[in-house]
Amino acid sequence: ELLALPVAERLKRRYEKFRAHGHFVEKPPTPAEKEAAKKAGKRAPTKALAQPQQPERAKAPLPQTVATVLYPFTFQPRFKERVWGGRNLERLFAKPLPAGKPIGESWEITDRPDDVSVIANGPLAGRDLRWLMEQHGTAMLGAARPLNGRFPLLIKLLDAQEKLSLQVHPPAHRAAELKGEPKTEMWFIAAAEPGAELYVGLRPGVTRAEFEQRIRDGTVADCFHRISVKAGDTMVGNSG
């Protein structure tokens, strides 16, 4: 509403507001100003002076609410040495990798019992994601649900210079029985060399006997679909 008024009117209203709160006092005109005004047939103007600033009272500290705590976070990466890793995370993403080691994974966000992300920026730098979930889990996730009380996503950058091990993630209803983790994974291909492939899902018709035989003779990879990929591709693999 104030911005819609002409400039002069806005200034007048702001002055009146400041004056009403005691920020200005009126200074009477000097004798010379009175004489000049008398000759001109006008009333001598008064001047507004800013009052000396009063010493500020000590304020009670604000309660540490969600509004005063949460802000966009960045986290310290957690590097994982792997025999199939390399140095591409340094080249592609400017990661400060430890010298002389093949780094296969950079865990960007994690809230696992043995690996928890640490905040890298702002006033909460040094606190970790576990603390955030314990103190502000609802505000962090909104309508999403935690996983066993923890942040539900594990986000990694991978540099696979060799073939990785084949992994099987059981369905949620059998995970405890099979002592596995029911992970659903999504892969985004940020960069890929010519001929890069993903091994995803058993080919139709593969029997248990054939699978076991190929494990023994080292050709088990032939039981899986091989999908050519390029930068920008995405693949989702549901648990089970």
Side-chain angles (χ1 to χ4, degrees), residues 202-225:
L202 285 172
R203 292 188 291 103
V206 174
T207 65
R208 176 168 183 154
E210 179 187 359
F211 191 83
E212 291 177 347
Q213 179 59 44
R214 288 188 176 275
I215 290 176
R216 287 191 290 269
D217 63 26
T219 61
V220 71
D222 293 337
C223 293
F224 293 86
H225 294 287

Side-chain angles (χ1 to χ4, degrees), residues 106-110 117 151 153-157:
S106 174
W107 290 22
E108 302 295 296
I109 299 178
T110 171
S117 292
F151 192 79
L153 299 179
L154 169 60
I155 300 177
K156 309 177 182 180
L157 297 174

Side-chain angles (χ1 to χ4, degrees), residues 20-201:
H21 285 80
H23 293 294
F24 293 100
V25 295
E26 301 295 341
K27 179 184 176 183
T30 64
E33 290 172 335
K34 288 182 179 179
E35 185 63 27
K38 184 177 180 181
K39 290 180 180 179
K42 297 180 181 179
R43 183 178 171 220
T46 57
K47 295 180 180 178
L49 291 181
Q51 286 186 327
Q53 199 169 26
Q54 298 297 319
E56 199 171 315
R57 295 181 181 180
K59 296 180 180 178
L62 291 174
Q64 200 175 58
T65 63
V66 170
T68 60
V69 169
L70 298 187
Y71 54 92
F73 297 111
T74 60
F75 295 92
Q76 299 173 14
R78 301 182 67 83
F79 300 127
K80 304 294 180 178
E81 185 176 352
R82 301 286 187 259
V83 295
W84 44 260
R87 308 293 297 181
N88 280 331
L89 298 181
E90 187 174 55
R91 178 177 63 84
L92 294 173
F93 302 104
K95 295 294 181 181
L97 303 184
K101 295 182 178 180
I103 302 300
E105 303 181 23
S106 174
W107 290 22
E108 302 295 296
I109 299 178
T110 171
D111 186 19
R112 297 171 73 85
D114 51 347
D115 275 293
V116 180
S117 292
V118 175
I119 300 170
N121 68 319
L124 294 179
R127 295 274 192 177
D128 61 26
L129 186 54
R130 181 89 300 271
W131 178 86
L132 281 175
M133 286 296 296
E134 290 171 350
Q135 301 298 319
H136 305 288
T138 301
M140 288 279 290
L141 297 182
R145 292 181 299 174
L147 181 63
N148 299 323
R150 293 183 174 271
F151 192 79
L153 299 179
L154 169 60
I155 300 177
K156 309 177 182 180
L157 297 174
L158 269 63
D159 176 14
Q161 296 296 303
E162 304 290 343
K163 292 177 182 177
L164 278 62
S165 59
L166 291 165
Q167 298 184 10
V168 178
H169 299 302
H173 67 278
R174 296 200 61 191
E177 174 192 349
L178 298 172
K179 298 181 180 179
E181 188 174 6
K183 290 195 300 182
T184 289
E185 297 189 353
M186 191 279 284
W187 296 62
F188 174 77
I189 311 303
E193 297 293 333
E197 295 177 318
L198 293 180
Y199 290 79
V200 183

